[in-house]
Each structure stands twice: as C-alpha cells, then as structure tokens.
C-alpha cells in the first residue's frame, strides 16, 4: 500500500496559477504538494503553446508559455514544492475539520488541510485513436501514458504518433523494451529535431523500427495485444507484431473527475466567492480558469490575484491560532529571508 502523504495544501493543477499559488502559500509558511495529469509542468502554457507569445503578464511585455513556466519555477524554488506528474486526482473526501483525503488514479493518497483546484478548464485527457475495439485492450496492453517505465521492459512495443511525447518515449523506452516500433502516418515529425535525429540514428543502426501508416485494427484476446493491422501510405495493409501499444494522438480538455469532488458546479465550472475564491465546501478553493464568479475574466493575471487572496484564507485553516500579519516582500526582512534574499 502506498504511504499517505500529509501536507498543508494540495494543489490540483500545475499550470501558471497553481505554480504561483505555491509562492503565495509559501510566504505564509504552508507546505505544498501539486498533482497534474500531464507529464510536464506549466499546464496549457507548456502543453498547448510553449513557444506562443503571451503579451498580458504585468511588467513583462512578451513571454512564451514555456518561458513563463520556467520563470515561475525559479520564483517558487525557495519553497521546495513536491510535484506528482502523470497523475489525476479521482476522489476527494472530507475526513476532518479541516482535513481532506485525496486519492489519485495511481493510488497515491494525500491528506491535506486545504485543497486548491487550479485545473484550468478541467483535466487534459488523451485522445483515443479511431481504432475499432481498442477499448478492450486499454489498461492491459494499450496505454495512453507511461506511469512506470519498468512496465515496458522486454515488451514488443508499438508507439504511435509523431510529436514530442511519442519521440520522447521512443528514446526512453528503446533501451529497456525488447523491440520498439514507431508508427506515424507520414515520414515527417512535429517533435524536436534533436529527438527525431536520435530516433533515425537508432533505426539506421537496426536498434528499432520506423513504419509509415495508420493503425486500422488490433489483434489479440482477453485484453492482451498480439499485433496491430496497419494501412500503409500505398494503401497496402500489413501487420506489426506487438504485445503493448502506446498511442499518442494528442490531448483534449475535459471536466474529468471534478464532478466527483463534492463541490458545487455551474456550467462545468466551480462557483467561488470573491473574497477568498473558496468553493461551497470550506477549505476547498478554486483559482484560474476552472472557477466562476460575477465579472470573471479568464486571464492568467486574474488567476495570480485569486491565488494571493486564496492563500490568506487558507492560512487560517492551516494555522488557526496564528494571526496573519500582511507584509510586503519589498520591506519585510522575514519574507526576504524565506526567499533567500540577502
């Protein structure tokens, strides 16, 4: 059984708003763990537009999505948050006053006095390939994410896709899999050029296979894959022997399990007050695009503001007997000490 992780605050979502909330909570001496379904930090900024310019961050005329993520990570470094990636919070239950137990799809259990939902418009879910009968293999021999690399040791592995995720896992799993085959609909890739070069070098050395085409069917029994039927560029059909498949067809935004967390929903958003951005469940807050209130603007800067006010109220749950004295980082020596400022 996985050990229970106890923390002051659990943040669900590691996008810009979730990351900046770490800073505001850290200034008030609260320890934080963050869970995100993606395999990287930065939420939509890093996943959907890492190189796209953002022009409305105060005092920063232009920054990319990845640049903003990198800057936020540098800013929160003094507070040593712990990240749990490739995991999705499935259930939240109230077990104390205040105390919540949250469980992820990977079986990790957290106990926290405060929950902060910073999940953007919901959770990113992998797109299911349009392959007939694929559902029968999901979770046993078809997987949409890599939780533990060891799971793929000595497998005949078929990886489908042409983006960064597909190429990254080709390179990471090739040394431990029995054989890796990469399948893409064309001999042109959207991944980082260096990754593509490494993949082609492995193919040239005979250490893996590259095939061009699209999966049209799967073979196997009782959820265990034995092969994939592929339609090639010349419309000829051929079979790839494999017992495990990782399809990377992109991500889509869905509400996900938020509906099962016990908070009130309004048009698939979480209503909050505008004093502390707290939900109808005391101790559970929602900041960023996932929340709704009169006058709401879906801007990153609005989410930063929401995180600052949230932290003030959250501290009352974590330190009920401690009087919160508002301080400025520009003049408070105690805050500057926390930030490592000389």
């Amino acid at each position: 059984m996985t050990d229970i992780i106890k923390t002051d605050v659990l943040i669900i979502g590691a996008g810009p708003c979730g990351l900046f909330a770490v800073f505001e909570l850290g200034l008030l001496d609260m320890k934080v763990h963050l869970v995100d379904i993606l395999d990287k930090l930065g939420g939509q900024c890093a996943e959907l537009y890492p190189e796209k310019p953002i022009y409305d961050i105060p005092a920063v005329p232009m920054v990319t999505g990845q640049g903003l993520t990198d800057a936020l990570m540098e800013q929160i470094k003094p507070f040593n948050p712990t990240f749990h990636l490739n995991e999705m919070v499935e259930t939240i239950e109230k077990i104390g006053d205040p105390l919540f137990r949250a469980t992820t799809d990977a079986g990790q259990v957290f106990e926290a006095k405060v929950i902060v939902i910073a999940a953007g418009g919901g959770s990113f879910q992998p797109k299911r390939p349009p392959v007939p009968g694929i559902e029968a293999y999901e979770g046993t021999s078809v997987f949409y994410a890599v939780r533990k690399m060891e799971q793929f040791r000595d497998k005949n592995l078929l990886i489908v896709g042409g983006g960064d995720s597909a190429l990254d896992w080709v390179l990471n799993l090739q040394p431990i899999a029995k054989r890796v085959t990469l399948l893409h609909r064309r001999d042109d890739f959207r991944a980082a050029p260096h990754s593509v070069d490494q993949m082609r070098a492995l193919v040239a050395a005979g250490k893996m296979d590259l095939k061009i085409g699209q999966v049209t069917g799967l073979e196997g029994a009782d959820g265990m894959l034995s092969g994939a039927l592929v339609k090639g560029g010349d419309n000829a059909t051929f079979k790839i022997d494999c017992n495990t498949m990782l399809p990377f067809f992109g991500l889509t935004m869905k509400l996900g399990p938020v509906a099962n967390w016990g908070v009130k929903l309004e048009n698939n958003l979480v209503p909050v007050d505008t004093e502390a951005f707290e939900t109808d469940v005391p101790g559970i807050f929602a900041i960023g695009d996932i929340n709704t209130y009169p006058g709401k603007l879906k801007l990153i800067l609005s989410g930063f503001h929401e995180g600052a006010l949230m932290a003030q109220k959250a501290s009352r749950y974590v330190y009920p007997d401690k009087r919160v004295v508002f301080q400025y980082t520009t003049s408070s020596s105690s805050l500057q000490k926390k930030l490592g400022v000389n």
Side-chain angles (χ1 to χ4, degrees):
M1 180 179 176
T2 305
D3 290 338
I4 294 175
I5 294 175
K6 297 187 178 183
T7 184
D8 294 329
V9 181
L10 177 66
I11 298 177
I12 303 171
C17 295
L19 294 178
F20 187 69
V22 172
F23 181 82
E24 292 295 330
L25 292 162
L27 290 177
L28 296 172
D29 298 317
M30 285 173 273
K31 298 298 182 184
V32 177
H33 282 248
L34 300 93
V35 174
D36 200 292
I37 193 171
L38 296 177
D39 61 0
K40 65 183 76 172
L41 303 171
Q44 293 184 51
C45 280
E47 183 65 29
L48 300 184
Y49 47 93
E51 298 181 359
K52 183 179 177 181
I54 303 171
Y55 299 103
D56 59 357
I57 303 299
V60 182
M62 190 283 285
V63 66
T64 63
Q66 189 59 55
L68 178 61
T69 300
D70 293 342
L72 285 164
M73 288 299 295
E74 182 66 26
Q75 187 177 34
I76 66 176
K77 193 180 292 183
F79 302 116
N80 297 312
T82 304
F83 297 96
H84 306 266
L85 302 178
N86 270 325
E87 292 188 46
M88 179 173 64
V89 172
E90 290 191 322
T91 61
I92 297 174
E93 55 181 320
K94 187 176 176 67
I95 60 172
D97 192 20
L99 193 62
F100 300 92
R101 179 178 291 136
T103 305
T104 73
D105 59 344
Q108 181 61 64
V109 179
F110 298 88
E111 288 186 0
K113 293 181 179 178
V114 169
I115 302 281
V116 179
I117 304 171
S123 61
F124 286 101
Q125 304 282 332
K127 292 180 180 177
R128 175 183 284 154
V131 179
I134 193 172
E135 298 90 343
Y137 301 93
E138 291 173 345
T140 52
S141 54
V142 172
F143 305 91
Y144 297 105
V146 177
R147 304 289 190 205
K148 295 180 180 179
M149 288 177 56
E150 193 62 28
Q151 181 181 6
F152 300 93
R153 182 172 294 278
D154 298 325
K155 299 290 188 181
N156 283 321
L157 177 60
L158 173 62
I159 296 179
V160 187
D164 283 314
S165 293
L167 270 293
D168 286 348
W169 286 119
V170 162
L171 299 177
N172 280 288
L173 294 173
Q174 185 274 329
I176 67 171
K178 183 177 181 180
R179 189 72 178 178
V180 169
T181 301
L182 174 63
L183 174 69
H184 189 40
R185 65 183 183 276
R186 61 179 186 271
D187 194 13
D188 182 38
F189 298 89
R190 305 181 310 280
H194 178 65
S195 298
V196 177
D197 290 344
Q198 284 184 284
M199 178 271 294
R200 292 196 187 279
L202 289 171
V203 172
K207 295 181 178 180
M208 62 165 285
D209 299 308
L210 171 63
K211 301 292 184 181
I212 307 303
Q214 299 184 65
V215 177
T216 57
L218 300 176
E219 293 184 350
D222 300 322
M224 300 310 298
L225 199 61
S226 62
L229 301 177
V230 176
K231 184 179 181 180
D234 56 0
N235 289 326
T237 298
F238 60 93
K239 178 181 174 181
I240 297 176
D241 291 326
C242 59
N243 54 24
T244 308
M245 184 169 81
L246 281 168
F248 294 104
F249 279 60
L251 300 166
T252 185
M253 183 71 80
K254 294 183 179 179
L255 184 63
V258 179
N260 302 322
W261 292 348
V263 296
K264 180 181 177 182
L265 291 177
E266 186 178 289
N267 297 321
N268 285 342
L269 297 171
V270 182
V272 293
D273 63 49
T274 51
E275 178 183 357
F277 304 97
E278 194 167 16
T279 70
D280 64 323
V281 179
I284 299 184
F285 300 80
I287 61 174
D289 287 358
I290 194 70
N291 75 14
T292 183
Y293 53 86
K296 168 72 178 183
L297 289 177
K298 290 191 174 185
L299 295 173
I300 294 173
L301 67 90
S302 299
F304 289 167
H305 159 76
E306 294 162 11
L309 293 188
M310 171 279 297
Q312 297 292 313
K313 178 69 177 289
S315 67
R316 299 183 207 168
Y317 290 111
V318 176
Y319 301 112
D321 301 322
K322 181 178 177 181
R323 187 167 71 93
V324 178
V325 179
F326 180 73
Q327 302 177 78
Y328 295 102
T329 56
T330 50
S331 57
S332 168
S333 57
S334 64
L335 292 184
Q336 290 173 7
K337 185 177 181 180
K338 294 173 187 177
L339 295 171
V341 179
N342 295 325

